[in-house]
Amino acid sequence: MGEEPQETDAAALVARIDTSVPHPARVWNYWLGGKDNYAPDREVGEEIVKVMPDLPVNARAEREFIGRAVRHLAAECGIDQFLDVGTGIPAADNTHEVAQRVNPGARIVYVDNDPIVLAHARALLTSTPEGASDYIDADLREPAAIVRAAARTLDLSRPTALMLMGVLEFVPGAEQAHSCVRTLLDALPSGSYLAIAHSVRSPSMEDAAAQWNASGATPLTLRTSEQLGAFFDGLDLVEPGLVSLPRWRPEAGTSYQDREVFQYGAVGRKR
C-alpha cells in the first residue's frame, strides 16, 4: 500500500495472473458471455447462478448502465474527463469509446489491479487522436496514489467523472470504503460527478455472496440501498436518484426494465 502505481511489462503481467482461484473481473466476463476466463471462474460462476439465476442479468444491466451514465455525463453535463476505477476486462462500449463518440477530445484514465485486465488494456484501450486513454495498475484502496498517477493524463482542476462500477463491493469495511471515495472526490473540483454501481442485499444476493466468498476469491460485501446512498452524502443526485440499474434513465433499448435487478446505481454532482 502507498507505493506509486508502476508500469508493468508483458512478462511480469503474465507472471502475476493466478488462474487457480476465481477473480471478479473474469467471472463477470464469463457472465457477460466473454472468453477471457478460466475453469475456476466458470465453475464459481455456475455455482452462483444456481443460487441466483439472475446474476448474469446484473452483469449485463451494469454494462448498459455504464453506457447510459457516460453518455449522460458527456452529452448532457459536458464532462470530458473520466476516472474509471475497477475497469474490469474490456468489453463492448467501454467508457472511453462511449465518451469519445460524444466528444472525441474526451480523456479517460482506467484503474485496475488485475493483471489480465491490464494485459487487455494495453491492446484494447485505445483513444481517438484528439483525446487520451490511459491505464493505471493500482488498487482502489490506494486512492492517493491513483490521484497522483491520474494527474499525468487528466487535468484534475477541471470537472471529472469518477466511475466506480462494481468495485466498492470489494472494499469490505465501511470506514475504508468511504475514505477511499472521499479521497478521490476531494481531489476533484466542484462540478465533478460520482457514478456508482453496486450489488445490494436481497435474500438471493446474500446466498450468491456466500457462495462467492466460500470460493476463495476476493471477498464480496453487499450493502443496503441506504448504505450505498451514504456514498453520495453532500452531492446532488441526478434524477432519478439511486435505483435498480435498468431504471436509471432508461433508453429505448434498455434491458430488464420490467424486473428488480439487485444491482443499484446513481450519479451525483459535487457542489
Side-chain angles (χ1 to χ4, degrees):
M1 296 281 180
E3 296 181 356
E4 288 293 326
Q6 299 294 319
E7 288 292 326
T8 312
D9 63 33
L13 283 173
V14 171
R16 284 172 47 196
I17 297 173
D18 183 357
T19 63
S20 66
V21 296
H23 188 281
R26 299 195 301 259
V27 176
W28 212 247
N29 174 264
Y30 173 62
W31 285 332
L32 287 170
K35 298 179 180 179
D36 299 305
N37 47 74
Y38 299 90
D41 308 307
R42 295 188 286 273
E43 289 166 10
V44 75
E46 285 299 320
E47 289 301 314
I48 290 173
V49 167
K50 288 178 184 177
V51 299
M52 188 181 179
D54 267 2
L55 248 299
V57 168
N58 287 27
R60 295 166 195 149
E62 185 174 290
R63 288 301 305 178
E64 291 188 8
F65 171 71
I66 292 170
R68 295 197 307 281
V70 172
R71 276 192 294 276
H72 174 76
L73 289 165
E76 305 300 325
C77 305
I79 295 296
D80 61 1
Q81 299 192 125
F82 294 80
L83 178 57
D84 187 334
V85 183
T87 303
I89 294 171
D93 286 341
N94 298 290
T95 297
H96 75 287
E97 294 169 323
V98 178
Q100 290 180 345
R101 281 190 208 116
V102 176
N103 180 353
R107 304 176 74 83
I108 295 86
V109 169
Y110 293 99
V111 182
D112 210 294
N113 67 339
D114 179 13
I116 197 168
V117 172
L118 298 174
H120 281 282
R122 290 178 177 273
L124 300 181
L125 302 184
T126 55
S127 172
T128 59
E130 304 96 320
S133 180
D134 197 7
Y135 70 88
I136 300 168
D137 178 0
D139 193 304
L140 172 60
R141 293 167 294 183
E142 300 176 332
I146 290 172
V147 169
R148 289 192 294 272
R152 296 196 297 258
T153 301
L154 305 179
D155 178 356
L156 299 182
S157 69
R158 298 179 56 248
T160 300
L162 171 61
M163 311 283 292
L164 300 174
M165 299 290 141
V167 65
L168 277 173
E169 294 98 315
F170 300 101
V171 183
E175 183 176 349
Q176 184 182 29
H178 280 274
S179 176
C180 292
V181 175
R182 280 196 305 272
T183 299
L184 292 169
L185 274 179
D186 284 350
L188 306 179
S190 175
S192 294
Y193 287 82
L194 170 65
I196 295 177
H198 195 296
S199 302
V200 296
R201 286 179 178 162
S202 74
S204 56
M205 281 298 293
E206 295 280 3
D207 290 342
Q211 187 78 42
W212 173 265
N213 291 341
S215 73
T218 306
L220 170 72
T221 298
L222 300 176
R223 293 183 168 93
T224 65
S225 57
E226 291 77 13
Q227 289 169 329
L228 181 53
F231 288 102
F232 293 92
D233 286 352
L235 304 181
D236 296 321
L237 283 178
V238 172
E239 290 293 335
L242 177 64
V243 293
S244 177
L245 293 184
R247 296 173 184 160
W248 194 88
R249 305 180 79 88
E251 300 169 348
T254 299
S255 306
Y256 315 119
Q257 295 183 56
D258 59 342
R259 67 174 76 182
E260 177 76 353
V261 174
F262 293 102
Q263 195 83 357
Y264 274 39
V267 176
R269 184 180 187 275
K270 184 175 179 180
R271 297 169 187 165

